[in-house]
């Protein structure tokens, strides 16, 4: 067989509380210098097929979150990162940042300890424990922008929820009658997708006009190890297997705003698959900075092959 030139992408696959992150450590596009938000614009405009090649089928799946590791703008920082998924780009990703930190340790690029990572919505800090798997993420400022917003979902019902920012925009619903169980994910997906569409139809957005593309249902925990359980619908209609780092940050902002969580007090958020993040808040001049602690594990270190003869080398794109 004649050999032909193929492109190769080096990745480290991790999961954080069951939610996968494919961390691209080599073979990624050159996005040039600058802030991650600007480099994300370049990625979106010029390299969207690369996004699809990494996370979409046949190499990936709707659940997969990709993380492109970049040279940081500030050389004293550990890395820059741009997160993406089956439908586009994320602002920030909490489970993904924990996955990136663990991948960079396993790749020998950083040691356990405290590091700064640049993201499109600002710098975050990670403190990686000596086990190389447990990471505390000090997230960007999180806030509730609207409380008790009522929404009618045609054919499903009426819900009341809060709009909050935790690095992405969330609609957080406690007022529902769904049972948060893995056996119900189809129904939970239908309800949360209906809520998302109703938010769009009613022009309800984040306070900067940002689309609310993550929906969370909350309920009682199924274990004494947690304070609450959640189902989180992601932008591309997959549900988060982890408790969602940015979603838990949005929850923390709401709990602090309601006087239900004091600075430094721990809130343990259980995911729909039973994984748990420990969350707490630092409050500076009235601003809430969540800390999310969880564990990630490496599943694979591999090379993606993009063969020019393969009709689906750039993924199956919607
Ligand atoms: O952990 O922040 C998160 C996240 C966002 C989307 C999927 N996971």
């Amino acid at each position: 067989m004649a050999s032909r030139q193929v492109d190769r992408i080096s990745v480290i696959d991790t999961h954080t509380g069951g939610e996968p992150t494919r961390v691209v450590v080599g073979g990624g596009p050159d996005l040039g210098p600058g802030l991650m938000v600007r480099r994300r614009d370049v990625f979106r405009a010029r390299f969207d097929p690369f996004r699809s090649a990494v996370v979409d089928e046949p190499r990936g799946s709707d659940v997969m979150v990709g993380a492109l590791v970049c040279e940081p703008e500030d050389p004293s920082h550990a890395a820059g990162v741009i997160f993406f998924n089956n439908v586009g780009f994320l602002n920030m990703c909490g489970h993904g940042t924990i996955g990136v930190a663990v991948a960079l340790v396993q790749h020998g690029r950083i040691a356990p300890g405290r590091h700064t990572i640049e993201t499109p919505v600002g710098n975050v800090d990670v403190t990686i424990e000596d086990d190389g798997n447990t990471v505390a993420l000090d997230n960007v400022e999180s806030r509730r922008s609207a409380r008790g917003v009522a929404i009618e979902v045609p054919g499903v019902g009426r819900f009341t929820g809060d709009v909050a920012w935790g690095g992405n925009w969330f609609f957080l619903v406690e007022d529902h009658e769904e049972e948060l169980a893995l056996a119900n994910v189809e129904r939970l997906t239908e309800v949360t997708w209906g809520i998302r569409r109703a938010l769009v139809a009613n022009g309800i957005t984040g306070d900067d006009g940002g689309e609310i593309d993550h929906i969370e249902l909350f309920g009682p925990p199924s274990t004494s190890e947690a304070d609450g359980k959640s189902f989180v619908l992601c932008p591309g209609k997959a549900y988060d297997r982890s408790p969602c780092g940015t979603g838990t940050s949005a929850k923390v902002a709401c709990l602090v705003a309601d006087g239900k969580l004091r600075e430094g007090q721990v809130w343990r958020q259980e995911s729909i698959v039973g994984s748990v993040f420990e969350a707490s808040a630092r409050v500076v001049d009235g601003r809430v900075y969540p800390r999310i602690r969880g564990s990630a594990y490496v599943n694979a270190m591999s090379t993606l092959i993009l063969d020019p003869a393969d009709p689906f080398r750039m993924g199956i794109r919607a």
Side-chain angles (χ1 to χ4, degrees):
M1 192 185 79
S3 71
R4 51 181 175 259
Q5 185 71 37
V6 298
D7 286 330
R8 292 169 195 272
I9 304 168
S10 301
V11 300
I12 302 179
D13 282 351
T14 63
H15 81 87
T16 310
E19 179 77 352
T21 309
R22 176 160 286 167
V23 185
V24 177
V25 291
D30 180 2
L31 306 178
L35 293 172
M36 291 307 132
V37 67
R38 196 203 66 80
R39 290 193 230 181
R40 184 181 57 178
D41 290 344
V42 176
F43 195 163
R44 185 186 277 128
R46 294 188 33 214
F47 300 106
D48 194 62
F50 178 90
R51 174 196 62 74
S52 180
V54 172
V55 293
D56 286 339
E57 295 175 11
R59 294 183 195 84
S61 75
D62 284 355
V63 190
M64 185 69 80
V65 170
L68 176 67
V69 174
C70 310
E71 285 301 316
E73 200 196 20
D74 178 335
S76 71
H77 296 162
V81 65
I82 298 169
F83 295 106
F84 48 99
N85 63 12
N86 56 335
V87 290
F89 293 83
L90 289 159
N91 293 304
M92 166 57 193
C93 183
H95 92 268
T97 305
I98 293 171
V100 166
V102 167
L104 293 181
V105 169
Q106 297 251 348
H107 202 229
R109 285 173 63 159
I110 57 175
R114 193 168 175 86
H115 302 275
T116 300
I117 295 180
E118 299 171 5
T119 83
V121 292
N123 296 342
V124 297
D125 283 347
V126 288
T127 304
I128 308 160
E129 298 181 12
D130 285 341
D131 63 6
N133 295 109
T134 311
V135 178
L137 160 67
D138 288 307
N139 197 8
V140 294
E141 182 195 348
S142 300
R143 63 187 188 281
R144 177 164 69 187
S145 70
R147 180 167 184 270
V149 178
I151 188 92
E152 184 73 38
V153 181
V156 182
R158 189 179 164 81
F159 300 89
T160 305
D162 292 355
V163 178
W165 170 260
N168 294 298
W169 281 109
F170 288 83
F171 193 68
L172 300 90
V173 180
E174 283 186 38
D175 156 38
H176 63 84
E177 289 174 2
E178 306 302 324
E179 190 196 345
L180 301 188
L182 202 47
N184 289 345
V185 292
E186 259 182 56
R187 165 75 186 163
L188 298 170
T189 301
E190 183 192 329
V191 169
T192 46
W193 190 249
I195 293 174
R196 178 165 174 205
R197 288 166 64 106
L199 292 169
V200 172
N202 287 278
I204 297 168
T205 66
D207 59 11
D208 56 1
E211 184 179 356
I212 302 168
D213 55 5
H214 292 74
I215 312 296
E216 296 188 277
L217 301 181
F218 292 93
S222 48
T223 148
S224 58
E225 306 286 296
D227 298 299
K229 185 171 184 176
S230 60
F231 173 85
V232 185
L233 190 74
C234 296
K237 215 176 176 181
Y239 66 90
D240 197 331
R241 277 63 173 165
S242 85
C244 191
T246 51
T248 303
S249 297
K251 174 73 175 173
V252 163
C254 294
L255 288 168
V256 171
D258 285 334
K260 293 181 178 166
L261 191 72
R262 294 184 311 279
E263 181 168 16
Q265 189 183 345
V266 172
W267 174 267
R268 291 159 307 166
Q269 186 65 55
E270 182 188 358
S271 78
I272 195 72
V273 307
S275 51
V276 175
F277 283 167
E278 274 180 22
S280 58
R282 200 164 50 89
V283 182
V284 183
D285 297 333
R287 298 173 190 270
V288 175
Y289 295 89
R291 165 172 270 216
I292 307 294
R293 183 171 174 270
S295 299
Y297 299 88
V298 171
N299 290 324
M301 293 186 173
S302 55
T303 305
L304 309 183
I305 306 286
L306 277 61
D307 182 339
D310 175 359
F312 292 118
R313 67 188 171 283
M314 301 317 282
I316 301 171
R317 308 180 68 193

